[in-house]
Amino acid sequence: MAIATAAGGTSRKMTREEKKVIFASSLGTVFEWYDFYLYGSLAAFIGAAFFSEYPEATRNIFALLAFAAGFLVRPFGALVFGRIGDLVGRKYTFLVTILIMGFSTFLVGVLPGSASWGIAAPIILIALRMLQGLALGGEYGGAATYVAEHAPDDRRGFYTSWIQTTATLGLFLSLLIILAIQTAMTKEAFAAWGWRIPFLLSFILLGISVWIRLSLNESPTFKRMKEEGKGSKAPLSEAFGQWKNARIALLALLGLTAGQAVVWYSGQFYALFFLQNVLKVDAVSVNIMIAIALALGTIFFVVFGWLSDKIGRKPIIMAGLALAIVTYFPLFKALTWAANPALATAQQNTRATVTAAPGDCKFQFNPVGTAKFTTSCDIATAFLTRNSVPYDVVTTGAAGTPATVKIGDTTIESFDAIAAGADATAKTAAFNKAVNIALHNGGYPLNRAAATVADQKLDAFAAANPELNLDVAAIRGGEKKAVPTEQAIKDKLVTAEEAAGAAEITAYSIPAAGAFTMVADPAAVNWPLVIGILFILIIYVTMVYGPIAAILVEMFPTRIRYTGMSLPYHIGNGWFGGLLPATVFAMSAAAGDIYYGLWYPIAISAMSLVIGLIFVRDTLGTDLHAKD
């Protein structure tokens, strides 16, 4: 039986061809997101393979550049492929994008590391990452437009919501494959070569996607427009050079996609980063928690897409933004207590004070890794921020004096990295150790690893670590091991001069005497509560993201739809969303508060909420053919 809809038409069952269109478009886009996310999930292993031969500063720059490149070039991909899509057609354009993405990802899996190819390896890696970003910039607009132009007016939200599941499913697929491969081999084997397998598997996924997409027909709306001779000859200038269309793109960016992007990145990516890097939960547990929350929440992309066909796109998106604005602070604070209660307790009881000279503390915004923060204040605040320690900055120090960090009754002097010169490494180690000891005494959940010490360095080690109260004679009389000289030099137990003439080195393992690591006690992690909070954050993601494709498609005329919707979408998600981690870190470091950076997604969401409520009209019931 036909059912009347808000669009004024009648709903009907999905045809076989329409099901095929949704399946093919969604499946291909899942694989593209899978390819795109592999880099972020495996960044540590990629860094070890492609950047380990270079100094740490150069290695960090390359790693961040490679990660950021994929986000920063997405709007350019939207321009390039959006124009082609509006000139040539939807089908063949997003067929090209998946070929570029698939081959780029596969080549990462076979690309030799820096040990074999030197500096050429990271340069090629960055180029491949940029190709991924360009391809993704063209893929989403093509898939969303293609599906929308096949959909009946009264079910467009439901149809396009399947495309909205693809980013989450791509992330989910990448996490599952990585976990499966990690459990099938040793950690050493995965680090050496196993991390390449997920990249190589993309070639199989590519073949499936291309085969399915080749069987599809061109969008009926685009074909009708071309047959009627209404196609645009200059989509870029028409979309952004004419105010009536440029205004739509600007409203789509500021009133919709910017806010959608920061909620999306906060709920999926920053939540993962927060658990792993701020709350120090082990990576495998975090991936499992995120995977469970995604499995529970992903269906709501379709639920809210379907609901947008009943009550409108705008009310659901605006409600998601409003909920994020109101609840982000309590949710992330609850996440801390659920995932690492010992850290939450220590943060309440022990707060650091950084005293620095005026002007010594910089705003540490570093999206592509090219900036260097070397002042004594920046070194102190960056270390405290990375270790999730709240602090206050007092700028009363005399000009030219190094910053100090006070934790409880202990005061540690920082240093300027440039002034330290060749001694910077030693000063860094001494500063980090002193601060960690003070934090450990202040109740922070720090574990100290065992230290392996060569016999000829044992007396000096005991003198340099008086807090350990080591009995040198007892250590020498206990268990010892013989290490081949070559291995001892490689492991930096001794220098070549210290080992001269010796076939092997006697060494001792001293418990709780090595490097400090902030940890979350696995037994104290409240799994149900953490997953519940993650689920709520993902529900917000589904609210803002589920209906977004439908409203963007319906805002633009067919002749420039691919170009018009793609650019604001990818500026919003590539720049506003992609810059979220760097912005949040810089804001948190400036304020000495791990939660302060949440003001960034809250402020952007508030901007989109206000602009969206006032200036963006709901598009429910739009006839795409009539827009031409």
Side-chain angles (χ1 to χ4, degrees):
M1 183 178 70
I3 302 173
T5 68
T10 57
S11 64
R12 57 173 173 78
K13 289 186 176 180
M14 198 181 300
T15 67
R16 183 175 181 180
E17 178 64 21
E18 288 167 347
K19 290 179 181 178
K20 182 179 176 182
V21 164
I22 292 175
F23 177 75
S25 300
S26 300
L27 186 63
T29 310
V30 166
F31 293 160
E32 290 224 35
W33 282 110
Y34 163 83
D35 292 347
F36 194 75
Y37 291 147
L38 283 181
Y39 185 94
S41 301
L42 299 171
F45 303 100
I46 292 172
F50 292 99
F51 310 120
S52 60
E53 301 296 313
Y54 305 99
E56 184 177 0
T58 305
R59 185 165 66 244
N60 291 339
I61 289 172
F62 270 129
L64 286 171
L65 276 173
F67 184 74
F71 291 101
L72 298 179
V73 302
R74 280 171 60 178
F76 300 102
L79 289 174
V80 171
F81 292 109
R83 178 179 181 274
I84 297 172
D86 284 326
L87 287 173
V88 178
R90 292 35 167 143
K91 172 187 172 180
Y92 292 105
T93 303
F94 78 125
L95 187 60
V96 170
T97 61
I98 199 168
L99 285 169
I100 294 173
M101 175 66 83
F103 277 111
S104 298
T105 306
F106 174 76
L107 289 175
V108 171
V110 299
L111 180 65
S114 57
S116 301
W117 281 19
I119 198 169
I123 291 175
I124 294 173
L125 178 70
I126 292 172
L128 292 173
R129 179 69 175 169
M130 293 178 73
L131 284 174
Q132 285 184 323
L134 284 170
L136 193 58
E139 165 67 19
Y140 175 82
T145 301
Y146 187 76
V147 170
E149 291 179 346
H150 276 84
D153 292 341
D154 62 317
R155 301 195 73 193
R156 192 171 295 117
F158 174 72
Y159 276 44
T160 57
S161 66
W162 291 98
I163 295 293
Q164 304 311 99
T165 67
T166 58
T168 298
L169 291 174
L171 172 61
F172 188 64
L173 180 63
S174 68
L175 292 177
L176 285 181
I177 288 180
I178 290 169
L179 284 171
I181 295 171
Q182 283 178 326
T183 56
M185 59 178 59
T186 64
K187 289 183 178 180
E188 294 74 19
F190 186 84
W193 57 271
W195 64 267
R196 293 180 179 270
I197 297 176
F199 288 93
L200 299 177
L201 287 175
S202 68
F203 200 70
I204 299 174
L205 305 181
L206 170 65
I208 296 171
S209 300
V210 171
W211 174 69
I212 293 175
R213 286 190 174 185
L214 281 172
S215 67
L216 297 176
N217 297 315
E218 182 55 85
S219 153
T221 303
F222 182 83
K223 285 174 64 177
R224 185 182 299 111
M225 180 195 69
K226 294 293 284 186
E227 290 167 357
E228 295 172 355
K230 295 181 179 180
S232 175
K233 295 181 179 179
L236 290 178
S237 60
E238 186 175 341
F240 310 117
Q242 299 178 13
W243 173 241
K244 66 174 183 177
N245 292 326
R247 178 180 179 274
I248 296 173
L250 196 61
L251 290 177
L253 171 62
L254 300 179
L256 292 170
T257 62
Q260 165 261 304
V262 295
V263 171
W264 192 79
Y265 275 87
S266 297
Q268 293 190 159
F269 288 99
Y270 185 66
L272 186 152
F273 175 89
F274 189 79
L275 280 168
Q276 188 170 327
N277 295 281
V278 179
L279 303 185
K280 313 302 181 183
V281 181
D282 71 277
V284 173
S285 295
V286 171
N287 285 341
I288 294 173
M289 291 171 182
I290 292 288
I292 293 172
L294 289 174
L296 295 173
T298 296
I299 188 61
F300 285 92
F301 287 109
V302 179
V303 170
F304 287 117
W306 168 84
L307 186 61
S308 76
D309 288 327
K310 310 299 179 184
I311 67 173
R313 330 297 189 197
K314 178 177 168 179
I316 298 171
I317 296 172
M318 296 299 116
L321 294 175
L323 286 170
I325 292 167
V326 172
T327 63
Y328 265 2
F329 275 110
L331 284 175
F332 276 89
K333 288 180 179 178
L335 198 58
T336 302
W337 282 100
N340 196 339
L343 176 62
T345 301
Q347 289 172 336
Q348 276 193 339
N349 298 333
T350 304
R351 188 177 182 91
T353 300
V354 178
T355 303
D360 196 34
C361 302
K362 306 294 189 300
F363 187 67
Q364 299 180 46
F365 182 64
N366 193 19
V368 295
T370 54
K372 295 181 180 180
F373 302 98
T374 58
T375 68
S376 59
C377 179
D378 291 342
I379 288 172
T381 55
F383 180 82
L384 293 172
T385 301
R386 286 194 300 270
N387 286 277
S388 310
V389 180
Y391 56 87
D392 299 301
V393 176
V394 180
T395 54
T396 58
T401 59
T404 60
V405 178
K406 185 177 182 181
I407 302 169
D409 296 327
T410 304
T411 299
I412 305 101
E413 184 175 278
S414 185
F415 64 97
D416 185 287
I418 295 177
D423 295 330
T425 301
K427 285 182 175 291
T428 299
F431 174 77
N432 292 353
K433 174 189 168 185
V435 174
N436 277 326
I437 290 174
L439 291 174
H440 185 267
N441 294 338
Y444 279 83
L446 284 158
N447 284 348
R448 196 169 185 182
T452 302
V453 183
D455 182 75
Q456 50 265 63
K457 289 189 172 183
L458 182 59
D459 295 298
F461 183 85
N465 295 275
E467 75 282 359
L468 298 175
N469 297 315
L470 296 177
D471 185 336
V472 173
I475 293 172
R476 285 198 168 103
E479 187 176 346
K480 61 190 71 175
K481 59 181 178 180
V483 182
T485 300
E486 184 177 343
Q487 185 64 41
I489 295 172
K490 182 179 179 181
D491 294 341
K492 299 182 179 180
L493 298 180
V494 292
T495 64
E497 292 76 17
E498 291 169 333
E504 58 185 25
I505 300 297
T506 299
Y508 309 95
S509 181
I510 306 174
F516 285 91
T517 306
M518 191 81 72
V519 295
D521 180 3
V525 177
N526 186 331
W527 277 67
L529 184 55
V530 170
I531 293 170
I533 295 169
L534 293 175
F535 175 73
I536 293 172
L537 293 173
I538 288 170
I539 289 296
Y540 297 169
V541 171
T542 63
M543 292 180 72
V544 299
Y545 200 56
I548 199 76
I551 194 170
L552 289 177
V553 165
E554 291 166 344
M555 290 175 76
F556 294 91
T558 304
R559 57 194 287 119
I560 59 166
R561 181 168 296 131
Y562 200 147
T563 304
M565 72 161 290
S566 293
L567 186 63
Y569 174 83
H570 285 292
I571 290 179
N573 285 273
W575 293 358
F576 282 90
L579 293 176
L580 186 143
T583 306
V584 168
F585 177 86
M587 293 176 65
S588 296
D593 182 351
I594 63 172
Y595 306 109
Y596 188 80
L598 293 172
W599 281 114
Y600 172 72
I602 288 173
I604 300 300
S605 296
M607 174 194 71
S608 291
L609 179 64
V610 172
I611 294 174
L613 287 174
I614 297 174
F615 297 106
V616 176
R617 71 173 185 84
D618 202 338
T619 59
L620 178 63
T622 298
D623 182 350
L624 294 188
H625 315 310
K627 288 187 75 67
D628 300 313

